[in-house]
Amino acid sequence: MITSIFKKSSIVNYALVFLLLLASFFVYQNSLLSQSVTGVGNSANALLIILLLVCFFLVNFIVKKNGLTKNSSYAIFFFLLYLMLFPSVFSYSKLLFANFFLLLAMRRIISLQTLKAPKEKIFDASMWIFIASLFHFWCILFVLLVYISIIFHVSRDYRNWLLPFVAFVATAVVFLFAALLIDKSWIDHIVIQAQMHLEWNYFTNNFQNAALSFYVVVALYFLLSMVFTLTNRPLILQASYKKMVFGFLIGSIVFILSPEKNNAMLLFTFFPLAVMTTNNIEYSQNKMYQEIVLLLLIVGSFVSFFVQL
């Protein structure tokens, strides 16, 4: 059955996800050209593909290294399905760069539970978040996740609470120096991105609305499932799963506050939701339930992808 394909981690699974990613990326880029919409060049396409592949590698590395999932390839597969739900993500290079740096931050945030070199991890995570905010300003809210992690693990040392400020100053100084030296318009970009836009009239067609509605239902289901079954998870992993919940909520707030409304802004919620979806599948003992959930997600993502082309 379908679940048997991804319940194990193998080269075949990775190759399948890789081919699906390439196919969806180029199909979407070709649809832009067929609609007389300016796409990106070959060199830009290559850069975006490499960036996407690195993001998939990070997703797989984070979940395996920290034991967030069992030995399966569900996490990267669900991450791909959520990308396909909103194919416009493939045309937003700044969002992809921001998500890349956020994944680097998540890697350090989750590994903080080992209590090894906590100060370095707090500083690194904060720095990656502030770099991500240079591409999409409201990603700066993910620094809240750093403080949540400090509360969970290393709250007694007051110096840990100051490290994000040190990272902010360091990142800001380097950015301002580079902007003044190379291009002052970078500062204007940050100022524009720092605005808030709470209106919900950005939809261009009903298919985008349907895709968002499907995603909201799916996200709420797996979010509530994680929240209500959290105490059944191994004690050593509960803090990490709580970070996934908070990470998803912060990503949702980033989407709500972003001035340039687009479904692609939900990209920052894909990783934590992929982890929560994987846990829902893996911890269920009902094979029929697993098959139905996986089939619904596959059908919903593929239908959503093709109707938005």
PDB file of all heavy atoms in Angstrom, residues 20-41:
ATOM      1  N   LEU A  20       9.737  14.081  -7.949  1.00  0.00           N
ATOM      2  CA  LEU A  20       8.466  14.800  -7.813  1.00  0.00           C
ATOM      3  C   LEU A  20       8.700  16.296  -7.623  1.00  0.00           C
ATOM      4  O   LEU A  20       7.962  17.129  -8.168  1.00  0.00           O
ATOM      5  CB  LEU A  20       7.666  14.244  -6.633  1.00  0.00           C
ATOM      6  CG  LEU A  20       6.985  12.897  -6.835  1.00  0.00           C
ATOM      7  CD1 LEU A  20       6.364  12.407  -5.530  1.00  0.00           C
ATOM      8  CD2 LEU A  20       5.910  12.997  -7.918  1.00  0.00           C
ATOM      9  N   LEU A  21       9.740  16.627  -6.871  1.00  0.00           N
ATOM     10  CA  LEU A  21      10.076  18.033  -6.662  1.00  0.00           C
ATOM     11  C   LEU A  21      10.477  18.691  -7.977  1.00  0.00           C
ATOM     12  O   LEU A  21       9.988  19.783  -8.313  1.00  0.00           O
ATOM     13  CB  LEU A  21      11.211  18.156  -5.647  1.00  0.00           C
ATOM     14  CG  LEU A  21      11.793  19.565  -5.438  1.00  0.00           C
ATOM     15  CD1 LEU A  21      10.725  20.502  -4.889  1.00  0.00           C
ATOM     16  CD2 LEU A  21      12.999  19.517  -4.506  1.00  0.00           C
ATOM     17  N   LEU A  22      11.367  18.041  -8.725  1.00  0.00           N
ATOM     18  CA  LEU A  22      11.802  18.589 -10.011  1.00  0.00           C
ATOM     19  C   LEU A  22      10.624  18.724 -10.973  1.00  0.00           C
ATOM     20  O   LEU A  22      10.484  19.748 -11.658  1.00  0.00           O
ATOM     21  CB  LEU A  22      12.870  17.684 -10.630  1.00  0.00           C
ATOM     22  CG  LEU A  22      14.269  17.722 -10.016  1.00  0.00           C
ATOM     23  CD1 LEU A  22      15.198  16.791 -10.794  1.00  0.00           C
ATOM     24  CD2 LEU A  22      14.832  19.135 -10.018  1.00  0.00           C
ATOM     25  N   ALA A  23       9.782  17.689 -11.033  1.00  0.00           N
ATOM     26  CA  ALA A  23       8.646  17.721 -11.947  1.00  0.00           C
ATOM     27  C   ALA A  23       7.692  18.864 -11.607  1.00  0.00           C
ATOM     28  O   ALA A  23       7.276  19.630 -12.489  1.00  0.00           O
ATOM     29  CB  ALA A  23       7.910  16.383 -11.902  1.00  0.00           C
ATOM     30  N   SER A  24       7.348  18.999 -10.332  1.00  0.00           N
ATOM     31  CA  SER A  24       6.417  20.061  -9.931  1.00  0.00           C
ATOM     32  C   SER A  24       7.023  21.437 -10.165  1.00  0.00           C
ATOM     33  O   SER A  24       6.324  22.375 -10.586  1.00  0.00           O
ATOM     34  CB  SER A  24       6.025  19.895  -8.462  1.00  0.00           C
ATOM     35  OG  SER A  24       7.169  19.909  -7.622  1.00  0.00           O
ATOM     36  N   PHE A  25       8.327  21.581  -9.908  1.00  0.00           N
ATOM     37  CA  PHE A  25       8.992  22.868 -10.109  1.00  0.00           C
ATOM     38  C   PHE A  25       8.950  23.294 -11.571  1.00  0.00           C
ATOM     39  O   PHE A  25       8.550  24.421 -11.903  1.00  0.00           O
ATOM     40  CB  PHE A  25      10.440  22.796  -9.628  1.00  0.00           C
ATOM     41  CG  PHE A  25      11.223  24.072  -9.825  1.00  0.00           C
ATOM     42  CD1 PHE A  25      11.160  25.086  -8.874  1.00  0.00           C
ATOM     43  CD2 PHE A  25      11.997  24.275 -10.955  1.00  0.00           C
ATOM     44  CE1 PHE A  25      11.863  26.266  -9.055  1.00  0.00           C
ATOM     45  CE2 PHE A  25      12.706  25.452 -11.141  1.00  0.00           C
ATOM     46  CZ  PHE A  25      12.642  26.451 -10.185  1.00  0.00           C
ATOM     47  N   PHE A  26       9.326  22.395 -12.476  1.00  0.00           N
ATOM     48  CA  PHE A  26       9.403  22.758 -13.895  1.00  0.00           C
ATOM     49  C   PHE A  26       8.016  22.857 -14.526  1.00  0.00           C
ATOM     50  O   PHE A  26       7.806  23.667 -15.435  1.00  0.00           O
ATOM     51  CB  PHE A  26      10.275  21.756 -14.650  1.00  0.00           C
ATOM     52  CG  PHE A  26      11.742  21.954 -14.412  1.00  0.00           C
ATOM     53  CD1 PHE A  26      12.474  21.026 -13.690  1.00  0.00           C
ATOM     54  CD2 PHE A  26      12.385  23.088 -14.893  1.00  0.00           C
ATOM     55  CE1 PHE A  26      13.827  21.224 -13.456  1.00  0.00           C
ATOM     56  CE2 PHE A  26      13.738  23.287 -14.659  1.00  0.00           C
ATOM     57  CZ  PHE A  26      14.462  22.358 -13.945  1.00  0.00           C
ATOM     58  N   VAL A  27       7.070  22.052 -14.066  1.00  0.00           N
ATOM     59  CA  VAL A  27       5.696  22.186 -14.568  1.00  0.00           C
ATOM     60  C   VAL A  27       5.148  23.561 -14.221  1.00  0.00           C
ATOM     61  O   VAL A  27       4.507  24.219 -15.047  1.00  0.00           O
ATOM     62  CB  VAL A  27       4.798  21.074 -13.983  1.00  0.00           C
ATOM     63  CG1 VAL A  27       3.317  21.391 -14.236  1.00  0.00           C
ATOM     64  CG2 VAL A  27       5.143  19.732 -14.599  1.00  0.00           C
ATOM     65  N   TYR A  28       5.413  24.020 -12.990  1.00  0.00           N
ATOM     66  CA  TYR A  28       4.937  25.343 -12.589  1.00  0.00           C
ATOM     67  C   TYR A  28       5.634  26.449 -13.381  1.00  0.00           C
ATOM     68  O   TYR A  28       4.977  27.393 -13.829  1.00  0.00           O
ATOM     69  CB  TYR A  28       5.164  25.559 -11.095  1.00  0.00           C
ATOM     70  CG  TYR A  28       4.707  26.926 -10.625  1.00  0.00           C
ATOM     71  CD1 TYR A  28       3.352  27.220 -10.512  1.00  0.00           C
ATOM     72  CD2 TYR A  28       5.625  27.928 -10.331  1.00  0.00           C
ATOM     73  CE1 TYR A  28       2.926  28.480 -10.109  1.00  0.00           C
ATOM     74  CE2 TYR A  28       5.209  29.179  -9.926  1.00  0.00           C
ATOM     75  CZ  TYR A  28       3.861  29.460  -9.814  1.00  0.00           C
ATOM     76  OH  TYR A  28       3.444  30.712  -9.422  1.00  0.00           O
ATOM     77  N   GLN A  29       6.945  26.341 -13.556  1.00  0.00           N
ATOM     78  CA  GLN A  29       7.676  27.351 -14.329  1.00  0.00           C
ATOM     79  C   GLN A  29       7.188  27.395 -15.774  1.00  0.00           C
ATOM     80  O   GLN A  29       7.044  28.478 -16.359  1.00  0.00           O
ATOM     81  CB  GLN A  29       9.182  27.061 -14.293  1.00  0.00           C
ATOM     82  CG  GLN A  29       9.826  27.234 -12.930  1.00  0.00           C
ATOM     83  CD  GLN A  29       9.758  28.664 -12.413  1.00  0.00           C
ATOM     84  OE1 GLN A  29       9.631  29.620 -13.175  1.00  0.00           O
ATOM     85  NE2 GLN A  29       9.820  28.820 -11.094  1.00  0.00           N
ATOM     86  N   ASN A  30       6.887  26.238 -16.360  1.00  0.00           N
ATOM     87  CA  ASN A  30       6.368  26.203 -17.732  1.00  0.00           C
ATOM     88  C   ASN A  30       4.977  26.814 -17.813  1.00  0.00           C
ATOM     89  O   ASN A  30       4.618  27.441 -18.816  1.00  0.00           O
ATOM     90  CB  ASN A  30       6.331  24.765 -18.249  1.00  0.00           C
ATOM     91  CG  ASN A  30       7.716  24.226 -18.552  1.00  0.00           C
ATOM     92  OD1 ASN A  30       8.637  24.989 -18.858  1.00  0.00           O
ATOM     93  ND2 ASN A  30       7.881  22.914 -18.476  1.00  0.00           N
ATOM     94  N   SER A  31       4.192  26.643 -16.755  1.00  0.00           N
ATOM     95  CA  SER A  31       2.848  27.235 -16.758  1.00  0.00           C
ATOM     96  C   SER A  31       2.927  28.758 -16.733  1.00  0.00           C
ATOM     97  O   SER A  31       2.085  29.440 -17.327  1.00  0.00           O
ATOM     98  CB  SER A  31       2.045  26.731 -15.562  1.00  0.00           C
ATOM     99  OG  SER A  31       2.491  27.318 -14.347  1.00  0.00           O
ATOM    100  N   LEU A  32       3.945  29.298 -16.060  1.00  0.00           N
ATOM    101  CA  LEU A  32       4.130  30.746 -16.058  1.00  0.00           C
ATOM    102  C   LEU A  32       4.448  31.258 -17.458  1.00  0.00           C
ATOM    103  O   LEU A  32       3.952  32.300 -17.886  1.00  0.00           O
ATOM    104  CB  LEU A  32       5.263  31.133 -15.089  1.00  0.00           C
ATOM    105  CG  LEU A  32       5.029  30.896 -13.598  1.00  0.00           C
ATOM    106  CD1 LEU A  32       6.239  31.369 -12.797  1.00  0.00           C
ATOM    107  CD2 LEU A  32       3.771  31.613 -13.111  1.00  0.00           C
ATOM    108  N   LEU A  33       5.288  30.509 -18.176  1.00  0.00           N
ATOM    109  CA  LEU A  33       5.652  30.907 -19.536  1.00  0.00           C
ATOM    110  C   LEU A  33       4.449  30.814 -20.472  1.00  0.00           C
ATOM    111  O   LEU A  33       4.253  31.669 -21.335  1.00  0.00           O
ATOM    112  CB  LEU A  33       6.791  30.020 -20.051  1.00  0.00           C
ATOM    113  CG  LEU A  33       8.130  30.160 -19.313  1.00  0.00           C
ATOM    114  CD1 LEU A  33       9.138  29.157 -19.851  1.00  0.00           C
ATOM    115  CD2 LEU A  33       8.675  31.576 -19.443  1.00  0.00           C
ATOM    116  N   SER A  34       3.629  29.765 -20.298  1.00  0.00           N
ATOM    117  CA  SER A  34       2.457  29.598 -21.158  1.00  0.00           C
ATOM    118  C   SER A  34       1.415  30.679 -20.916  1.00  0.00           C
ATOM    119  O   SER A  34       0.599  30.975 -21.787  1.00  0.00           O
ATOM    120  CB  SER A  34       1.834  28.216 -20.934  1.00  0.00           C
ATOM    121  OG  SER A  34       1.317  28.108 -19.618  1.00  0.00           O
ATOM    122  N   GLN A  35       1.434  31.282 -19.721  1.00  0.00           N
ATOM    123  CA  GLN A  35       0.505  32.368 -19.396  1.00  0.00           C
ATOM    124  C   GLN A  35       1.113  33.736 -19.687  1.00  0.00           C
ATOM    125  O   GLN A  35       0.576  34.760 -19.285  1.00  0.00           O
ATOM    126  CB  GLN A  35       0.126  32.294 -17.909  1.00  0.00           C
ATOM    127  CG  GLN A  35      -0.594  31.020 -17.518  1.00  0.00           C
ATOM    128  CD  GLN A  35      -0.761  30.897 -16.025  1.00  0.00           C
ATOM    129  OE1 GLN A  35      -0.858  31.881 -15.303  1.00  0.00           O
ATOM    130  NE2 GLN A  35      -0.796  29.672 -15.532  1.00  0.00           N
ATOM    131  N   SER A  36       2.261  33.727 -20.361  1.00  0.00           N
ATOM    132  CA  SER A  36       2.981  34.968 -20.699  1.00  0.00           C
ATOM    133  C   SER A  36       3.405  35.719 -19.447  1.00  0.00           C
ATOM    134  O   SER A  36       3.490  36.944 -19.431  1.00  0.00           O
ATOM    135  CB  SER A  36       2.116  35.885 -21.587  1.00  0.00           C
ATOM    136  OG  SER A  36       1.800  35.242 -22.793  1.00  0.00           O
ATOM    137  N   VAL A  37       3.639  34.966 -18.379  1.00  0.00           N
ATOM    138  CA  VAL A  37       4.140  35.551 -17.145  1.00  0.00           C
ATOM    139  C   VAL A  37       5.649  35.362 -17.111  1.00  0.00           C
ATOM    140  O   VAL A  37       6.162  34.284 -17.404  1.00  0.00           O
ATOM    141  CB  VAL A  37       3.509  34.882 -15.905  1.00  0.00           C
ATOM    142  CG1 VAL A  37       4.086  35.471 -14.628  1.00  0.00           C
ATOM    143  CG2 VAL A  37       1.998  35.066 -15.942  1.00  0.00           C
ATOM    144  N   THR A  38       6.370  36.417 -16.789  1.00  0.00           N
ATOM    145  CA  THR A  38       7.819  36.345 -16.778  1.00  0.00           C
ATOM    146  C   THR A  38       8.300  35.369 -15.714  1.00  0.00           C
ATOM    147  O   THR A  38       7.994  35.512 -14.533  1.00  0.00           O
ATOM    148  CB  THR A  38       8.439  37.728 -16.495  1.00  0.00           C
ATOM    149  OG1 THR A  38       7.971  38.644 -17.485  1.00  0.00           O
ATOM    150  CG2 THR A  38       9.962  37.647 -16.554  1.00  0.00           C
ATOM    151  N   GLY A  39       9.031  34.357 -16.132  1.00  0.00           N
ATOM    152  CA  GLY A  39       9.591  33.389 -15.202  1.00  0.00           C
ATOM    153  C   GLY A  39      11.009  33.772 -14.857  1.00  0.00           C
ATOM    154  O   GLY A  39      11.437  34.911 -15.024  1.00  0.00           O
ATOM    155  N   VAL A  40      11.758  32.834 -14.370  1.00  0.00           N
ATOM    156  CA  VAL A  40      13.153  33.094 -14.028  1.00  0.00           C
ATOM    157  C   VAL A  40      14.039  32.393 -15.035  1.00  0.00           C
ATOM    158  O   VAL A  40      13.620  31.469 -15.728  1.00  0.00           O
ATOM    159  CB  VAL A  40      13.467  32.605 -12.600  1.00  0.00           C
ATOM    160  CG1 VAL A  40      12.689  33.400 -11.585  1.00  0.00           C
ATOM    161  CG2 VAL A  40      13.166  31.115 -12.456  1.00  0.00           C
ATOM    162  N   GLY A  41      15.270  32.844 -15.161  1.00  0.00           N
ATOM    163  CA  GLY A  41      16.194  32.268 -16.117  1.00  0.00           C
ATOM    164  C   GLY A  41      16.716  30.918 -15.676  1.00  0.00           C
ATOM    165  O   GLY A  41      16.429  30.443 -14.577  1.00  0.00           O
TER     166      GLY A  41
END
